[in-house]
Short mmCIF file of all heavy atoms in Angstrom, two decimals:
data_model
loop_
_atom_site.label_atom_id
_atom_site.label_comp_id
_atom_site.label_asym_id
_atom_site.label_seq_id
_atom_site.Cartn_x
_atom_site.Cartn_y
_atom_site.Cartn_z
N GLU A 8 36.51 -32.62 63.88
CA GLU A 8 37.26 -33.72 64.47
C GLU A 8 36.71 -35.07 64.02
O GLU A 8 37.46 -36.03 63.82
CB GLU A 8 37.23 -33.62 66.00
CG GLU A 8 38.22 -34.57 66.67
CD GLU A 8 38.34 -34.33 68.16
OE1 GLU A 8 37.67 -33.42 68.67
OE2 GLU A 8 39.09 -35.08 68.80
N TYR A 9 35.39 -35.14 63.86
CA TYR A 9 34.77 -36.36 63.34
C TYR A 9 35.36 -36.71 61.97
O TYR A 9 35.77 -37.84 61.72
CB TYR A 9 33.26 -36.17 63.23
CG TYR A 9 32.49 -37.37 62.71
CD1 TYR A 9 31.78 -38.19 63.57
CD2 TYR A 9 32.46 -37.67 61.34
CE1 TYR A 9 31.06 -39.28 63.10
CE2 TYR A 9 31.77 -38.76 60.86
CZ TYR A 9 31.07 -39.56 61.74
OH TYR A 9 30.37 -40.65 61.27
N THR A 10 35.43 -35.72 61.09
CA THR A 10 35.95 -35.94 59.73
C THR A 10 37.41 -36.37 59.77
O THR A 10 37.84 -37.26 59.03
CB THR A 10 35.78 -34.67 58.89
OG1 THR A 10 34.39 -34.33 58.81
CG2 THR A 10 36.33 -34.88 57.48
N ALA A 11 38.18 -35.75 60.66
CA ALA A 11 39.60 -36.10 60.77
C ALA A 11 39.78 -37.56 61.20
O ALA A 11 40.61 -38.29 60.64
CB ALA A 11 40.29 -35.16 61.74
N LEU A 12 39.00 -37.98 62.19
CA LEU A 12 39.09 -39.37 62.65
C LEU A 12 38.61 -40.34 61.57
O LEU A 12 39.17 -41.42 61.39
CB LEU A 12 38.27 -39.55 63.93
CG LEU A 12 38.81 -38.85 65.18
CD1 LEU A 12 37.82 -39.00 66.33
CD2 LEU A 12 40.17 -39.39 65.57
N LEU A 13 37.57 -39.94 60.85
CA LEU A 13 37.04 -40.78 59.78
C LEU A 13 38.09 -40.98 58.69
O LEU A 13 38.35 -42.11 58.26
CB LEU A 13 35.79 -40.12 59.20
CG LEU A 13 35.07 -40.86 58.07
CD1 LEU A 13 34.49 -42.18 58.57
CD2 LEU A 13 33.97 -39.99 57.48
N GLU A 14 38.71 -39.89 58.27
CA GLU A 14 39.70 -39.97 57.20
C GLU A 14 40.95 -40.71 57.65
O GLU A 14 41.62 -41.36 56.84
CB GLU A 14 40.05 -38.57 56.71
CG GLU A 14 38.88 -37.88 56.00
CD GLU A 14 39.22 -36.48 55.54
OE1 GLU A 14 40.25 -35.94 56.01
OE2 GLU A 14 38.45 -35.93 54.74
N ALA A 15 41.26 -40.65 58.94
CA ALA A 15 42.43 -41.35 59.46
C ALA A 15 42.15 -42.82 59.74
O ALA A 15 43.07 -43.58 60.03
CB ALA A 15 42.91 -40.67 60.73
N GLY A 16 40.87 -43.22 59.65
CA GLY A 16 40.51 -44.60 59.98
C GLY A 16 40.65 -44.90 61.46
O GLY A 16 40.85 -46.05 61.84
N ALA A 17 40.52 -43.87 62.30
CA ALA A 17 40.69 -44.04 63.74
C ALA A 17 39.37 -44.37 64.42
O ALA A 17 38.93 -43.67 65.34
CB ALA A 17 41.30 -42.77 64.34
N PHE A 18 38.71 -45.41 63.98
CA PHE A 18 37.44 -45.86 64.52
C PHE A 18 37.22 -47.29 64.07
O PHE A 18 37.93 -47.81 63.21
CB PHE A 18 36.29 -44.96 64.02
CG PHE A 18 36.00 -45.14 62.55
CD1 PHE A 18 34.94 -45.91 62.14
CD2 PHE A 18 36.81 -44.55 61.58
CE1 PHE A 18 34.68 -46.11 60.78
CE2 PHE A 18 36.57 -44.74 60.23
CZ PHE A 18 35.49 -45.52 59.83
N ASP A 19 36.20 -47.94 64.65
CA ASP A 19 35.84 -49.30 64.24
C ASP A 19 34.40 -49.37 63.76
O ASP A 19 34.09 -50.14 62.85
CB ASP A 19 36.04 -50.27 65.41
CG ASP A 19 37.46 -50.27 65.93
OD1 ASP A 19 38.36 -50.63 65.14
OD2 ASP A 19 37.68 -49.88 67.09
N LEU A 20 33.53 -48.58 64.39
CA LEU A 20 32.11 -48.56 64.07
C LEU A 20 31.67 -47.12 63.91
O LEU A 20 32.25 -46.21 64.52
CB LEU A 20 31.27 -49.19 65.20
CG LEU A 20 31.60 -50.59 65.68
CD1 LEU A 20 30.98 -50.80 67.06
CD2 LEU A 20 31.08 -51.62 64.71
N ARG A 21 30.63 -46.91 63.13
CA ARG A 21 29.98 -45.60 63.13
C ARG A 21 28.52 -45.76 62.77
O ARG A 21 28.10 -46.79 62.22
CB ARG A 21 30.68 -44.60 62.21
CG ARG A 21 30.64 -44.92 60.72
CD ARG A 21 31.33 -43.79 59.97
NE ARG A 21 31.42 -44.06 58.54
CZ ARG A 21 31.11 -43.17 57.59
NH1 ARG A 21 30.70 -41.96 57.92
NH2 ARG A 21 31.23 -43.47 56.32
N LEU A 22 27.73 -44.75 63.07
CA LEU A 22 26.30 -44.73 62.78
C LEU A 22 26.05 -43.92 61.52
O LEU A 22 26.56 -42.80 61.37
CB LEU A 22 25.53 -44.13 63.96
CG LEU A 22 25.44 -45.04 65.19
CD1 LEU A 22 25.14 -44.23 66.44
CD2 LEU A 22 24.37 -46.10 64.97
N GLU A 23 25.25 -44.50 60.61
CA GLU A 23 24.91 -43.82 59.37
C GLU A 23 23.42 -44.02 59.08
O GLU A 23 22.76 -44.82 59.74
CB GLU A 23 25.73 -44.37 58.21
CG GLU A 23 27.24 -44.25 58.40
CD GLU A 23 27.98 -44.69 57.16
OE1 GLU A 23 27.93 -43.96 56.15
OE2 GLU A 23 28.59 -45.78 57.19
N ASN A 24 22.93 -43.32 58.09
CA ASN A 24 21.55 -43.53 57.67
C ASN A 24 21.42 -43.39 56.16
O ASN A 24 22.15 -42.62 55.52
CB ASN A 24 20.59 -42.56 58.36
CG ASN A 24 20.83 -41.11 57.97
OD1 ASN A 24 21.86 -40.54 58.31
ND2 ASN A 24 19.88 -40.53 57.26
N THR A 25 20.52 -44.16 55.58
CA THR A 25 20.19 -43.99 54.17
C THR A 25 19.35 -42.73 54.03
O THR A 25 18.79 -42.22 55.00
CB THR A 25 19.43 -45.20 53.61
OG1 THR A 25 18.11 -45.24 54.19
CG2 THR A 25 20.15 -46.50 53.93
N TRP A 26 19.22 -42.24 52.80
CA TRP A 26 18.52 -40.98 52.59
C TRP A 26 17.00 -41.12 52.56
O TRP A 26 16.29 -40.16 52.70
CB TRP A 26 19.01 -40.33 51.30
CG TRP A 26 20.44 -39.90 51.38
CD1 TRP A 26 21.19 -39.74 52.52
CD2 TRP A 26 21.29 -39.57 50.29
NE1 TRP A 26 22.45 -39.33 52.21
CE2 TRP A 26 22.55 -39.21 50.85
CE3 TRP A 26 21.14 -39.53 48.92
CZ2 TRP A 26 23.63 -38.82 50.06
CZ3 TRP A 26 22.21 -39.14 48.13
CH2 TRP A 26 23.45 -38.80 48.70
N GLY A 27 16.50 -42.34 52.35
CA GLY A 27 15.06 -42.55 52.28
C GLY A 27 14.51 -42.29 50.89
O GLY A 27 15.19 -41.77 50.00
N VAL A 28 13.23 -42.65 50.70
CA VAL A 28 12.55 -42.43 49.42
C VAL A 28 12.36 -40.92 49.22
O VAL A 28 11.99 -40.23 50.16
CB VAL A 28 11.20 -43.16 49.43
CG1 VAL A 28 10.37 -42.81 48.20
CG2 VAL A 28 11.41 -44.67 49.52
N PRO A 29 12.64 -40.37 48.03
CA PRO A 29 12.82 -41.03 46.73
C PRO A 29 14.25 -41.43 46.38
O PRO A 29 14.51 -41.81 45.24
CB PRO A 29 12.32 -39.96 45.76
CG PRO A 29 12.74 -38.67 46.41
CD PRO A 29 12.54 -38.91 47.89
N TYR A 30 15.19 -41.34 47.31
CA TYR A 30 16.59 -41.63 47.00
C TYR A 30 16.95 -43.10 47.19
O TYR A 30 17.92 -43.58 46.60
CB TYR A 30 17.49 -40.75 47.86
CG TYR A 30 17.14 -39.30 47.81
CD1 TYR A 30 16.52 -38.68 48.88
CD2 TYR A 30 17.39 -38.55 46.66
CE1 TYR A 30 16.17 -37.33 48.81
CE2 TYR A 30 17.04 -37.21 46.59
CZ TYR A 30 16.43 -36.61 47.68
OH TYR A 30 16.09 -35.28 47.62
N ASP A 31 16.22 -43.79 48.05
CA ASP A 31 16.49 -45.21 48.29
C ASP A 31 15.71 -46.06 47.30
O ASP A 31 14.58 -45.70 46.94
CB ASP A 31 16.07 -45.59 49.71
CG ASP A 31 17.05 -45.11 50.77
OD1 ASP A 31 17.98 -44.37 50.42
OD2 ASP A 31 16.87 -45.47 51.94
N PRO A 32 16.28 -47.20 46.90
CA PRO A 32 17.55 -47.73 47.40
C PRO A 32 18.78 -47.32 46.60
O PRO A 32 19.87 -47.24 47.16
CB PRO A 32 17.33 -49.23 47.31
CG PRO A 32 16.44 -49.40 46.11
CD PRO A 32 15.53 -48.20 46.13
N LEU A 33 18.64 -47.07 45.30
CA LEU A 33 19.84 -47.02 44.45
C LEU A 33 20.70 -45.80 44.70
O LEU A 33 21.93 -45.92 44.79
CB LEU A 33 19.44 -47.09 42.97
CG LEU A 33 20.62 -47.24 42.01
CD1 LEU A 33 21.37 -48.54 42.26
CD2 LEU A 33 20.16 -47.19 40.56
N ILE A 34 20.10 -44.60 44.80
CA ILE A 34 20.93 -43.40 44.94
C ILE A 34 21.69 -43.42 46.25
O ILE A 34 22.89 -43.09 46.31
CB ILE A 34 20.06 -42.14 44.81
CG1 ILE A 34 19.47 -42.05 43.40
CG2 ILE A 34 20.87 -40.89 45.10
CD1 ILE A 34 18.55 -40.87 43.18
N SER A 35 21.02 -43.84 47.33
CA SER A 35 21.71 -43.90 48.63
C SER A 35 22.86 -44.89 48.61
O SER A 35 23.96 -44.60 49.12
CB SER A 35 20.72 -44.31 49.73
OG SER A 35 19.99 -43.21 50.20
N ILE A 36 22.63 -46.05 48.02
CA ILE A 36 23.68 -47.07 48.06
C ILE A 36 24.84 -46.71 47.13
O ILE A 36 26.00 -47.02 47.42
CB ILE A 36 23.09 -48.47 47.74
CG1 ILE A 36 23.94 -49.55 48.42
CG2 ILE A 36 22.98 -48.73 46.25
CD1 ILE A 36 23.31 -50.92 48.42
N ARG A 37 24.55 -46.03 46.03
CA ARG A 37 25.62 -45.55 45.16
C ARG A 37 26.46 -44.48 45.88
O ARG A 37 27.70 -44.50 45.84
CB ARG A 37 25.05 -44.97 43.87
CG ARG A 37 24.65 -46.01 42.83
CD ARG A 37 23.98 -45.33 41.62
NE ARG A 37 24.79 -44.23 41.12
CZ ARG A 37 25.79 -44.37 40.25
NH1 ARG A 37 26.08 -45.59 39.78
NH2 ARG A 37 26.46 -43.34 39.83
N ALA A 38 25.77 -43.54 46.53
CA ALA A 38 26.47 -42.45 47.20
C ALA A 38 27.35 -42.97 48.33
O ALA A 38 28.44 -42.43 48.58
CB ALA A 38 25.46 -41.44 47.74
N ARG A 39 26.90 -44.02 49.00
CA ARG A 39 27.65 -44.51 50.16
C ARG A 39 28.80 -45.43 49.79
O ARG A 39 29.88 -45.37 50.40
CB ARG A 39 26.69 -45.23 51.12
CG ARG A 39 27.36 -45.97 52.27
CD ARG A 39 28.21 -45.01 53.11
NE ARG A 39 28.89 -45.72 54.19
CZ ARG A 39 30.04 -46.36 54.07
NH1 ARG A 39 30.66 -46.39 52.88
NH2 ARG A 39 30.60 -46.96 55.10
N PHE A 40 28.62 -46.27 48.79
CA PHE A 40 29.59 -47.34 48.57
C PHE A 40 30.38 -47.24 47.27
O PHE A 40 31.30 -48.02 47.06
CB PHE A 40 28.90 -48.70 48.62
CG PHE A 40 28.36 -49.05 49.99
CD1 PHE A 40 27.00 -49.04 50.23
CD2 PHE A 40 29.22 -49.37 51.02
CE1 PHE A 40 26.49 -49.36 51.48
CE2 PHE A 40 28.73 -49.68 52.29
CZ PHE A 40 27.36 -49.67 52.52
N LEU A 41 30.04 -46.31 46.39
CA LEU A 41 30.82 -46.15 45.16
C LEU A 41 31.75 -44.95 45.28
O LEU A 41 31.48 -44.01 46.04
CB LEU A 41 29.90 -45.96 43.96
CG LEU A 41 29.06 -47.16 43.52
CD1 LEU A 41 28.35 -46.85 42.20
CD2 LEU A 41 29.89 -48.43 43.38
N PRO A 42 32.86 -44.95 44.55
CA PRO A 42 33.76 -43.79 44.60
C PRO A 42 33.08 -42.55 44.02
O PRO A 42 32.23 -42.64 43.13
CB PRO A 42 34.95 -44.24 43.75
CG PRO A 42 34.41 -45.31 42.86
CD PRO A 42 33.36 -46.01 43.67
N ALA A 43 33.45 -41.41 44.55
CA ALA A 43 32.97 -40.15 43.98
C ALA A 43 33.51 -39.99 42.57
O ALA A 43 34.54 -40.57 42.23
CB ALA A 43 33.42 -38.99 44.87
N PRO A 44 32.83 -39.21 41.71
CA PRO A 44 33.27 -39.10 40.30
C PRO A 44 34.71 -38.67 40.15
O PRO A 44 35.39 -39.09 39.22
CB PRO A 44 32.32 -38.04 39.74
CG PRO A 44 31.09 -38.14 40.59
CD PRO A 44 31.59 -38.48 41.97
N GLU A 45 35.20 -37.84 41.09
CA GLU A 45 36.58 -37.37 40.95
C GLU A 45 37.58 -38.31 41.59
O GLU A 45 38.79 -38.05 41.54
CB GLU A 45 36.72 -35.97 41.58
CG GLU A 45 36.50 -35.93 43.09
CD GLU A 45 35.04 -35.79 43.47
OE1 GLU A 45 34.18 -35.94 42.58
OE2 GLU A 45 34.76 -35.55 44.67
N SER A 46 37.09 -39.41 42.19
CA SER A 46 37.99 -40.35 42.86
C SER A 46 38.28 -41.55 41.96
O SER A 46 37.50 -41.88 41.08
CB SER A 46 37.37 -40.83 44.17
OG SER A 46 37.11 -39.74 45.02
N THR A 47 39.40 -42.19 42.22
CA THR A 47 39.75 -43.38 41.45
C THR A 47 39.36 -44.66 42.16
O THR A 47 39.32 -45.71 41.56
CB THR A 47 41.26 -43.41 41.17
OG1 THR A 47 41.97 -43.36 42.41
CG2 THR A 47 41.67 -42.20 40.32
N SER A 48 39.08 -44.56 43.45
CA SER A 48 38.70 -45.75 44.20
C SER A 48 37.86 -45.34 45.40
O SER A 48 37.86 -44.18 45.81
CB SER A 48 39.93 -46.52 44.68
OG SER A 48 40.64 -45.74 45.63
N VAL A 49 37.13 -46.31 45.96
CA VAL A 49 36.29 -46.01 47.12
C VAL A 49 37.09 -45.45 48.30
O VAL A 49 36.65 -44.48 48.92
CB VAL A 49 35.49 -47.26 47.53
CG1 VAL A 49 34.75 -47.03 48.84
CG2 VAL A 49 34.49 -47.64 46.44
N PRO A 50 38.24 -46.00 48.65
CA PRO A 50 38.97 -45.44 49.79
C PRO A 50 39.35 -43.97 49.63
O PRO A 50 39.55 -43.27 50.62
CB PRO A 50 40.22 -46.33 49.88
CG PRO A 50 39.80 -47.62 49.28
CD PRO A 50 38.86 -47.24 48.15
N ASP A 51 39.44 -43.48 48.38
CA ASP A 51 39.77 -42.09 48.18
C ASP A 51 38.73 -41.14 48.75
O ASP A 51 38.99 -39.95 48.94
CB ASP A 51 39.94 -41.79 46.68
CG ASP A 51 41.22 -42.38 46.12
OD1 ASP A 51 42.09 -42.73 46.92
OD2 ASP A 51 41.35 -42.46 44.89
#
């Protein structure tokens, strides 16, 4: 249900966390804010 609400945009705020070292900062920020390789845009 969380995923369904997330994909529907039926929320305003949510709690997230970075992955920490050795993944921070670049890998975490890429994973969170860039489109996935198979996507054409971030909203996808």
Side-chain angles (χ1 to χ4, degrees):
E8 192 172 359
Y9 180 102
T10 300
L12 292 174
L13 181 66
E14 292 179 346
F18 70 100
D19 302 298
L20 306 161
R21 65 178 176 133
L22 287 159
E23 301 186 71
N24 65 292
T25 70
W26 293 344
V28 172
Y30 308 107
D31 284 7
L33 188 62
I34 295 178
S35 277
I36 207 168
R37 280 176 51 86
R39 172 58 182 84
F40 293 108
L41 291 188
E45 65 274 11
S46 301
T47 57
S48 67
V49 172
D51 287 344

